[in-house]
Amino acid sequence: NAGVTQTPKFQVLKTGQSMTLQCAQDMNHNSMYWYRQDPGMGLRLIYYSASEGTTDKGEVPNGYNVSRLNKREFSLRLESAAPSQTSVYFCASSEPRDGGGYTFGSGTRLTVV
Amino acid sequence: GNSVTQMEGPVTLSEEAFLTINCTYTATGYPSLFWYVQYPGEGLQLLLKATKADDKGSNKGFEATYRKETTSFHLEKGSVQVSDSAVYFCALSVGGQNFVFGPGTRLSVLP
């Protein structure tokens, strides 16, 4: 029962470096999401993928790109990291036909110095 | 647009006290309503849900009733424990996608 797996769990980047956050789910869900969580800001949607082959911008997409590699995997890329991207990033998946909620990964804590 | 409002806290209670965390919403269409819990250092976990008016969701002693007339989904527990200390998020979804989350309420339970 792995659910949603995110890697890495922690990462420190220098300003301007790039990196990709990985997310994989084993529940055969169609929809996947990337959120960031900042103190006092709650959860903010970065990008989502309603189904394999589609991606859409959320509330705060600037500075990020995503790839829905297949039904299982949805990656988030920071091309040129900035201190403002210091945050905790959560991946989630859902199956709209089930009417159920999101299943979240355990998060990636990213610090950009 | 769709939105969720909840008391931000922090809420501090003694063990065995009664808990209420208020949540109200605005939505276009017929939302499903959820409560999520986040323990320190972890991701969010689904606590309970309700998919239509007058439904009651319950789990681990927590309950919430979907009140369409007052557009509310308040979280309650009769007797909290220290292990309930966490951040609680109210959320809604229309059509099973693109959830809208409230800001979260931090609960601290003292022994």
Side-chain angles (χ1 to χ4, degrees):
Chain A
N1 288 345
V4 177
T5 302
Q6 289 184 236
T7 56
K9 291 189 182 301
F10 301 94
Q11 184 72 49
V12 178
L13 290 178
K14 294 181 178 179
T15 298
Q17 287 185 318
S18 62
M19 79 162 294
T20 300
L21 282 64
Q22 306 288 352
C23 175
Q25 52 93 7
D26 62 1
M27 297 167 287
N28 203 36
H29 285 172
N30 276 297
S31 301
M32 298 185 73
Y33 310 82
W34 277 105
Y35 284 86
R36 60 178 289 173
Q37 185 178 35
D38 303 291
M41 302 293 288
L43 286 161
R44 292 184 291 171
L45 182 64
I46 305 171
Y47 270 94
Y48 67 99
S49 171
S51 61
E52 185 179 356
T54 69
T55 61
D56 287 287
K57 295 178 180 179
E59 180 184 356
V60 288
N62 291 346
Y64 305 95
N65 285 300
V66 291
S67 296
R68 183 74 182 265
L69 304 170
N70 47 55
K71 191 171 186 179
R72 290 186 64 248
E73 298 172 287
F74 188 40
S75 63
L76 178 71
R77 183 161 179 84
L78 287 70
E79 291 291 352
S80 178
S84 61
Q85 294 178 305
T86 293
S87 187
V88 181
Y89 291 86
F90 289 101
C91 178
S93 70
S94 71
E95 180 47 66
R97 293 173 298 177
D98 291 346
Y102 283 1
T103 300
F104 282 85
S106 58
T108 296
R109 186 173 296 274
L110 174 67
T111 302
V112 182
V113 298
Chain B
N2 299 335
S3 66
V4 172
T5 302
Q6 66 178 105
M7 53 193 294
E8 294 198 33
V11 175
T12 302
L13 296 173
S14 297
E15 204 164 25
E16 300 184 0
F18 185 86
L19 169 71
T20 299
I21 300 178
N22 290 337
C23 171
T24 57
Y25 68 89
T26 58
T28 303
Y30 301 97
S32 295
L33 302 173
F34 304 83
W35 277 100
Y36 283 82
V37 59
Q38 185 179 29
Y39 298 103
E42 299 184 11
L44 281 72
Q45 303 173 26
L46 179 63
L47 180 60
L48 54 84
K49 68 178 183 180
T51 57
K52 62 183 186 296
D54 300 325
D55 270 2
K56 177 185 284 188
S58 61
N59 186 24
K60 300 181 180 180
F62 291 89
E63 294 183 338
T65 301
Y66 189 143
R67 301 288 189 197
K68 187 176 179 182
E69 63 276 13
T70 55
T71 61
S72 64
F73 192 55
H74 305 322
L75 182 68
E76 296 182 336
K77 187 175 185 182
S79 177
V80 294
Q81 305 301 311
V82 172
S83 57
D84 294 327
S85 297
V87 181
Y88 293 82
F89 293 88
C90 185
L92 68 81
S93 170
V94 178
Q97 298 192 46
N98 297 340
F99 278 45
V100 175
F101 288 88
T105 300
R106 182 175 299 278
L107 171 66
S108 295
V109 180
L110 305 178

